[in-house]
Amino acid sequence: MQIIKIRYKFIIILPQHLLVTGCHHCKTPLVFTTKLDYMQVAKIVHNKHLLFLICKLGYLSNNISLKKLNIYNNGRFFIYNVDDFNIASESFNWYLHKPLLAQEVANISCKFYQPKPGDVVLDVGAGLGEETSIYADLVAAEGKVYAIEANPIVYQVLQEVIRLNGFTNVILSNIAINEQHEFVSIDDAPDTYLASSLNNINKGTTYEVQGLPLQDFCTTHSIRRIDLLKVNIEGAERFLSKAFERPELDIKHVAISCHDFRYAKEGNKFFRTKAIVSEYLKRNGYVIVSQSTGKDYIDDWVYGTKET
């Protein structure tokens, strides 16, 4: 392997004749001159030490320290230790770091309410723990984060992220929030785990997982107060209405990702949820708002604050 630095660019020439370039001052992902994406690089370069070196050089170009790269599920998932903070991703890249993650959380799920020390946060659809990890920092040792992830493969990586970061204020659950207490099928979408859904079983491997209504989950864990309920569960947000009808459950702020943008693209009515979510929130005394960024996946979020 050769590493050549030319003014503000560096070039890495791998034995497989893969050419990579990147701007020293650019904070965006580096570009492959062969037009290969990050995952193609991970597939071509099977040596984990070489992958780490490539990634570390990319981070160094942006003055960020990558200390370790862990690879899971045959290269499907990566956990980056960046400045002693562990972040998981499906992508092989060199721009993820804690401040970027915190800014994304602030811009989307915490746009209208940011958790504070001592808060209780319920993260439904925790994924790889990107938001969970930021919430855990925000609520501090005196707070709690309950993180729910239905996809068992993704859940394994989530567990590892929480373990590596040493969070003791995070309670993990591998269940699916559902309308009824029953086992449900969830598809593990092949392109990205983010598309996994309870009602789209035609794209990948399916898993049977325990389904549980949100109010039953809260009862099981003796949760009576939720300062922030964040939900991103690919259409299953339609099943939450009964939880808001429980007088013993005080849900103060909500940030719910609706998926009408997926309905528009795929035609599956299961994802058409924004009107449903808006209606049950308003019916239960919430003042609701959405963003207007021009990005459909952000503008479909519904935020609510309980009127006092």
Side-chain angles (χ1 to χ4, degrees):
M1 180 180 72
Q2 293 177 278
I3 303 173
I4 307 169
K5 188 169 182 179
I6 306 175
R7 201 173 181 184
Y8 298 122
K9 292 186 178 181
F10 64 84
I11 299 173
I12 302 172
I13 304 177
L14 302 177
Q16 294 90 338
H17 305 296
L18 177 66
L19 182 62
V20 187
T21 70
C23 175
H24 181 73
H25 295 291
C26 182
K27 301 302 181 183
T28 56
L30 306 183
V31 178
F32 296 97
T33 58
T34 51
K35 297 184 179 179
L36 295 174
D37 65 20
Y38 303 120
M39 294 309 298
Q40 287 176 304
V41 173
K43 289 176 182 177
I44 292 171
V45 182
H46 298 291
N47 186 301
K48 63 180 182 180
H49 302 293
L50 186 55
L51 282 173
F52 172 70
L53 178 57
I54 295 169
C55 209
K56 187 174 182 67
L57 287 168
Y59 272 100
L60 284 173
S61 74
N62 288 326
N63 298 314
I64 304 171
S65 174
L66 176 68
K67 296 192 174 181
K68 192 172 183 180
L69 174 65
N70 291 314
I71 303 172
Y72 298 88
N73 203 255
N74 297 317
R76 180 178 177 185
F77 300 109
F78 303 87
I79 296 182
Y80 304 84
N81 182 317
V82 184
D83 294 327
D84 291 320
F85 188 79
N86 292 277
I87 305 170
S89 176
E90 272 187 311
S91 299
F92 177 68
N93 54 50
W94 34 65
Y95 62 93
L96 286 176
H97 55 101
K98 186 178 179 181
L100 181 68
L101 209 59
Q103 187 59 56
E104 184 173 346
V105 169
N107 288 342
I108 303 180
S109 64
C110 292
K111 180 67 175 179
F112 296 96
Y113 179 77
Q114 179 169 297
K116 58 186 183 297
D119 273 2
V120 175
V121 175
L122 186 50
D123 185 359
V124 183
L128 298 173
E130 302 97 319
E131 291 155 311
T132 302
S133 297
I134 300 300
Y135 299 150
D137 262 2
L138 292 172
V139 304
E142 58 267 40
K144 284 186 178 179
V145 178
Y146 294 87
I148 298 172
E149 174 52 43
N151 186 320
I153 302 301
V154 175
Y155 180 77
Q156 290 173 6
V157 182
L158 171 64
Q159 284 182 304
E160 191 67 3
V161 168
I162 300 306
R163 184 189 69 81
L164 289 170
N165 281 323
F167 291 129
T168 58
N169 58 351
V170 177
I171 297 91
L172 300 173
S173 297
N174 180 208
I175 63 165
I177 294 302
N178 188 46
E179 195 169 22
Q180 300 179 32
H181 193 296
E182 61 185 1
F183 279 93
V184 296
S185 294
I186 182 169
D187 73 314
D188 185 20
D191 294 331
T192 170
Y193 81 90
L194 295 170
S196 297
S197 168
L198 298 182
N199 195 257
N200 206 33
I201 313 298
N202 58 10
K203 290 188 176 181
T205 304
T206 60
Y207 300 101
E208 293 292 314
V209 297
Q210 179 65 62
L212 194 67
L214 179 62
Q215 62 272 17
D216 291 356
F217 174 86
C218 292
T219 299
T220 300
H221 290 273
S222 301
I223 302 171
R224 292 185 173 274
R225 185 191 92 241
I226 301 173
D227 295 289
L228 176 64
L229 170 63
K230 169 259 169 177
V231 181
N232 192 348
I233 47 177
E234 305 302 316
E237 58 272 10
R238 63 175 57 245
F239 299 140
L240 301 179
S241 62
K242 290 183 180 179
F244 293 94
E245 297 167 4
R246 294 290 184 94
E248 73 277 11
L249 189 56
D250 183 15
I251 306 174
K252 299 180 182 297
H253 306 275
V254 301
I256 302 176
S257 174
C258 299
H259 292 81
D260 293 47
F261 68 95
R262 287 194 63 180
Y263 166 71
K265 295 173 183 176
E266 302 172 33
N268 187 336
K269 292 183 178 179
F270 183 75
F271 298 121
R272 196 174 187 179
T273 58
K274 193 170 184 179
I276 295 171
V277 169
S278 298
E279 191 279 326
Y280 69 59
L281 287 176
K282 287 191 287 187
R283 188 176 72 242
N284 287 284
Y286 287 81
V287 176
I288 66 170
V289 66
S290 292
Q291 298 195 64
S292 298
T293 66
K295 297 177 180 178
D296 53 8
Y297 68 93
I298 294 177
D299 297 344
D300 273 349
W301 282 74
V302 176
Y303 306 89
T305 299
K306 187 69 177 285
E307 291 183 302
T308 56

